Every structure is written in structure tokens, then in C-alpha cells.
Amino acid sequence: MRSLQLLALLVLFASQVMSRPQQSSSTLPNDQPMANMNGLYTISNPNKMSGVEWNSDYTKRPNVSYFDVYTPPIRTRYGEVYWTMMDPVALPDYIIERYKGKVIAVVGYEADQVRKTDKGEESMPIFWQYNHHYCAWMTGAKSTVKEVDEATFRMKEEFGAFNNEKFWIPVEVDGDDGVDAAPEGIPTSQFISEANGGEYRKSFHGYPSGYAQLLYSPDTFRITPMQIDTHNRDHDRSKFIAGPLPKNAGSPPNASYSGILECPCTDRIKKVIDVTYAAQEKGSCGTPVTNATECFEAVKTLKVTPTSQPQIVSEPSLPSGCVIIKSQVDKSTKVYYNTNPSSAQCGGGNLFSGTGSAISNVTLDLSLDASSKGLATITMTGPDGVWFGVGLDAEAMENLPYAIIVDGEGAVTERKLGNHDPGKQLASSITVTSNKVVNGVRTVVMTRALAGKTADHYTFSPGKQPTIPFISAVGNTSTFSIHRFKGSAMLTVAAQNGATCVCNAGVKGSINGIGFGKNCLPEPYGDLVQQKNPTCWVETYQGGLHCCHHQWILLDEDQNPWEDVIDEYYLKFRFWYEDYDASVPTHKNLERVYYQTEAHSSEYDIIKAPEGTPPSQAIQIITAHWQVKDMIRPTSGATGIELIYAGGHCHAPSCLSMELYNADTGRLLCRHVPVYGQGNIEDDKFDEENYIILPPCLWGREDEGLEKPVFLPFSGNITSIKRNNNTYSHYGEMASWQMRGIYV
């Protein structure tokens, strides 16, 4: 009987364990020796005048403990990219229970990539599985990580992650979990992403005494790693030998690294490049259309239909180049390519009109009066009996547009749409002047002011935005709900009795069907545009993040080695923590401070120096200039920050140095010189040849061997200088500053 009872208890226990969220494989208290996971570390700015040697041994801190967290398994084949949000991992039960409704002080962390063997856990060489970067979060009972649209992500991107297709940010939640709200000023989530690339295992991620990443009621770990499989399955770990490489790889023969870690665009990548056009109602074209054939094709892309055959003319009264003329009198629309080198300007008059259709049974017509009346006349047609609608200045619902919805009975409402969500109804700004049904087609004519009633209402600006992208949809029901059909299009509101110029708006492209976009800032913010760095334009883009999506294979189509030989491994994080006492308080919370030297491209190319350039002279330099308020959001009651931790991020094998200056005083704040591995992996498993460590800068107490923190006002000016060796070309290099500081 006792054995049956014991068996029943074991079955019950097993069922409870299997029903729980995934638990981290974590050390329980005192079941392993207290020791740094990856050995000792260095920093870039020790205080040599203090007479005290800075110590990176976490175990020397009083009252410190740690717990380990393993991600779910990563499984890849050679050449494959792994870059996605992984399933959440519950923190150890004893951590969740100990800090339920309390605050943990995370004083540092370590990381590695490991596989499990018959002999136990084994680190994976960085030349087998290259960590391009990771973004992770520790969340608590009052927060989670949520997928959002890009617009929402951009409002909180310093705490978020993306993989070119999806976007994630932490958000607060208030569930009925028996946990009180977090104390004022205590974070409900923490972002973890410092020195987060190939340098991550031996770059220090800790803080001086009295500082920590504070977190209320911690319970979950989330991560989006970007890993690239460079493992040549025909060779062991004793020395790196490159596997097959695509033709576009930038690495030289017999390199000590794999060229696929730089994400070259292979012949599996399909790049589409299109010239785009825009209507212009003022001034003259910055880049004109150069011939009649191009003109007549360009007009088609703007969804303008001429009422007669386009013509070539030489007319001094018209602007030169491609012109649309709409007549208010006979309602005609004419297109001309004017060869006359005229000085006439685009525009004229205050009346504008245009028609467009995104799906066959919904039409949008706009007549805009930009005189003192400031009136828009909007005509929408669609099927009777079901709802139909349009959303303005949008290509998809994720753009969160202003929308006009006509229900099956003809009632009109205005909404601010959500991302695949009905959003919210807005205060009415529309007057319906006509609402008729003929042969099953409803036509609604409305008027409203050009200016939006609120910030959520669209504002018509025909002189500034003559071409308007829009979406439309038709439902299954009379009331607004899920759509049955949807589409996107554009319309151009051309000047009536005036000249609407058609201009070359530049090149727009896609890579494997995904739109290409970069935000390379001009001087003085950054110099990628001035240097014509290839990363900024789809025409010249050769490699990097846009050619490196989740599960893409970074090989040419005729390359397929070791197709069925899968590596399985885990990312492992060791978090060092202390108790937090608010009555003292024992720790100051470290805020995230972030900026990119490659502003704001997220990456850039190292351009090969001319042949024969000595390596000592083959140096590419980029710079960036910004203010402190650009890298951390000012908060009330504070006038600036003190930097406590500064970690740069760059990739092997070309990184030479990163420097951060107070541009107002000329003071060097931090200088990183990477430590390159020598290949002695028998004695040091992290010493892979030519892979780097980036010792961070750390500020704190002099009696710990550290420099004192430096105050930086929000209005203070910062300069960053990044140097790379450019004996060979490299794609997707990075130069970001991932820092921590406190408000002062």
C-alpha cells in the first residue's frame, strides 16, 4: 500500500512539473561553487592612481548570489541564421518566490553558448556558432514582452528588439496575480543588451558597488538572439577552417573567420530596385524626370489617368519636365512632357482633386479647396448592405491610420485604427451631404475641414502631400468588424487649372520581397551619407542585416553542405544579484543609455582600401555627434546623468578602436581597444584566433580602483569616433554605445 501511495505521489508530481511553464535549468542555492562562470575580466579605464586594483571576481562582493538561465535549444544547419523571439523561460522557483512583491538588484551577468554532451556541458566555439548580437529582457509580475507594429516600436526602441520583420518591446501589465503594484521608481522590466555580439562571453557585464539593474517581482527571461552557423562539420574545434562560402563573401582566402558571419547577400537573395515618383505642387523638381517615355510611365504609377493621349510640348508657360494639367472647366486631365527649359514653377490655384481605388468595389474621390474655405469634399462608393471604409496616409493597418467607415445602413463614423485592431472611434468632424444607393452601390458625399479636428484626425495638405497612400476594405456584415476584402493604393490630388509636376523621388527597393529602408543621418549627426557608405542605399547594399533574416541560408543556391547535420546548443546566462533595501537605499537603478556611431543605420560597410595600402594605414574612420538628451530620455527633476558603465559593440575581425568624447570639454570619456584572441584555445576556450573581447569603461568608487563618475548635462554634446582596419571589405559592421547611467 505504501508503495502504491508513493507511486501515486510521483505521478502527481510529474504531472505538475510537466504542466508548468518552461523552467530554466538553474542552479539551486549552494549546489555549485561560487565562481565566475567565464573567469576574470578587464576594463578599459582602471584608476591606476588609486593604489587599488579593480577586481572582476563577483564572489568578492558581500552577500552576492547567482542563478543560471538556459534558453530553449537552438538548432541550425551550416550557413543558417537564427534570429527570432524565443519562448519565455521561467526564472528558478526560488527566485520567483523569494522576490515575489519585492525588488531584486541584478549587479551583473555572464553569458556563454553551450551544448550538452555525454561528458556534461561544453562551450561552443564562437567560430562554430557566431553570436552577431542579442537583445534580452528580464520581466516581472507586472510586465511582459509584446510584439508591436514598427511605429509603436520606434517610440520605445531603446528597450526593444527587432528582426527586420517583427518588433518587440516590454509593456506593463496589471493582472490579478496577488502582487501589489511596483513601488514608485522601480522598473517592472529590465533590458539586457550590453557588449552583446561576438565579444559577449569575455566582455564584463557588471556594475560597481551601490549600482544595479533593479527589478520588481522578477519571474521570466526572454531573448531574441541573432546567431549564425559557421561550423565546418568536417573539422574539429582545435582550429578554425572555413566551410564553403558564397561568392559575395568579403573574407580573404584562409581567413581565421568565416565570411558568412558578415551576412553577405548571396545569389539566393532577390533584390528588386524601382525608381519612384511623386507629385509636387510648389517650386520645381529636385530631381526631374528626364524624358517623355519615363514621364508617361511615371504618371501611371501615381494612379493618374489622362483623358487624352500624353503629348510632348515646348511651352514656356509650363514647368519644364513632366506635368499634369487638370481643367476645372471641362474636367479633363492632360499629361505633357515639356522640353522647354522654362522657369515656370509647379502649382497654381487652390483647388485640387484626385480619385483612387484599392479594391474593385470601393472608390475614393477627393476634392480639396485650399483657399480660405479650407474644405475637403470626400466621395466614397462601395457595396450597399455591408460596411466599407478607407484609411488615409497608410499602406497597412500597422500604420495606425485615420479611417472613414460607412456601415451597411449608410452611417458614417471616423476611427483611429489599431494594428489589426478596430482601434477607437473619434469625434465626428464630417458632414454628410449626400447618401444614395443605386443598383446596389452606395455613394456617400461628405465634407470636413482640411485640418484634422484632433491629432488622430488626418490633415489634408495638398501643397505638401499631393500623393496620398490609402487602404480600403469591405466587410461581411453591416456593422464594422473583420474585413472580407482589403487592399492598398494611392491617389494624387492634382492642381485644377494649375501645373502638377511629376518628379523623380528616388529609388525604392526590396530584398526577398521585404522593403528596404535605412535612416542614415547626414552631417553633423553622422557621416555615412557624406562618405557614400554602400549600406545606406538598396542599389549598393551588399551585405548585413537585410540579407540575414531568420532561417535564411547564407550560401549560394548551388551550395548545400551537411544539410542534415544539425547543431543543437543553448545560450546560458548567469545572473549575479543582491538583495535591495529601499530604506537605505542599497542600490541606485541604472538606466539604459544608447546611441549609434553609425547613426541611425544600425550597421555600415567597411570599404576596402586601395590595393597595396600598408595595414597600418588601412584605416576607415566614422564619426557621430549628438547630445546627451538624444541617448537617454530626460526626466523631471534631473538635469543630466552620470555614466557608470559604457560598453561598445563592434565585430571581429576589423574593429580597431571606439572613442567617446565630451565634445564641450574635449575630455575623452571612454576608449575601447579590442583584445584579439591568439588561438590558444587549449588553455583558454575563449581565445579563438582574431575574435575579440571589448573591455568596457566603468566608473564608481576610488577605493574599488575605479574612476569617479562624470556628470553630463542633457544639453551636453557628445562625439564618437570609430576606427576599423579596411585591408579587406566587411559588411554589417556596428559601432553602437550600450551604456548605463543614473539620473542626476
Side-chain angles (χ1 to χ4, degrees), residues 620-638:
Q620 177 175 320
I621 301 174
I622 67 167
T623 62
H625 310 277
W626 69 89
Q627 290 191 311
V628 173
K629 64 184 178 183
D630 298 323
M631 61 184 184
I632 184 171
R633 298 171 191 244
T635 187
S636 60

Side-chain angles (χ1 to χ4, degrees), residues 325-549:
I325 301 292
K326 277 197 168 189
S327 171
Q328 187 180 5
V329 177
D330 62 11
K331 308 301 181 183
S332 65
T333 300
K334 297 181 179 180
V335 175
Y336 300 105
Y337 182 74
N338 186 19
T339 61
N340 192 291
S342 168
S343 60
Q345 300 290 289
C346 309
N350 292 313
L351 301 178
F352 305 84
S353 64
T355 301
S357 179
I359 51 180
S360 59
N361 55 352
V362 177
T363 300
L364 172 66
D365 181 274
L366 296 177
S367 295
L368 308 180
D369 185 344
S371 69
S372 58
K373 293 182 179 180
L375 190 68
T377 300
I378 305 164
T379 303
M380 291 171 53
T381 63
D384 181 39
V386 295
W387 72 265
F388 61 92
V390 298
L392 298 177
D393 197 22
E395 296 178 353
M397 286 186 72
E398 65 186 30
N399 299 132
L400 312 180
Y402 162 81
I404 302 173
I405 307 297
V406 180
D407 73 15
E409 301 297 324
V412 178
T413 56
E414 299 164 80
R415 304 190 72 88
K416 175 72 170 177
L417 297 181
N419 183 14
H420 301 286
D421 182 89
K424 63 181 180 180
Q425 185 168 331
L426 302 177
S428 178
S429 66
I430 281 176
T431 299
V432 176
T433 61
S434 175
N435 196 331
K436 298 179 180 179
V437 178
V438 178
N439 296 326
V441 176
R442 182 178 295 278
T443 301
V444 183
V445 182
M446 303 158 270
T447 60
R448 51 149 280 191
L450 294 182
K453 186 172 185 176
T454 70
D456 288 332
H457 290 74
Y458 178 70
T459 293
F460 295 98
S461 304
K464 296 180 180 179
Q465 189 189 15
T467 300
I468 305 172
F470 70 96
I471 58 175
S472 61
V474 173
N476 280 315
T477 60
S478 177
T479 56
F480 180 56
S481 59
I482 297 173
H483 53 67
R484 181 182 181 189
F485 302 111
K486 64 176 182 176
S488 62
M490 66 172 66
L491 64 79
T492 298
V493 283
Q496 295 184 9
N497 301 329
T500 297
C501 298
V502 179
C503 309
N504 183 322
V507 170
K508 184 177 182 180
S510 64
I511 293 177
N512 276 8
I514 300 171
F516 180 92
K518 282 295 184 79
N519 186 27
C520 298
L521 299 185
E523 289 282 8
Y525 307 102
D527 48 23
L528 297 187
V529 174
Q530 182 185 20
Q531 294 180 3
K532 295 181 171 57
N533 194 280
T535 197
C536 294
W537 299 276
V538 67
E539 312 98 291
T540 53
Y541 194 82
Q542 294 296 311
L545 297 175
H546 287 269
C547 289
C548 225
H549 289 229

Side-chain angles (χ1 to χ4, degrees), residues 79-114:
E80 184 177 354
V81 180
Y82 187 97
W83 188 14
T84 190
M85 174 67 76
M86 303 191 78
D87 290 338
V89 177
L91 301 186
D93 287 340
Y94 69 89
I95 292 294
I96 296 174
E97 290 303 316
R98 177 174 176 175
Y99 290 102
K100 184 176 182 179
K102 299 178 182 178
V103 179
I104 192 172
V106 177
V107 297
Y109 68 92
E110 302 175 88
D112 195 7
Q113 51 193 37
V114 300

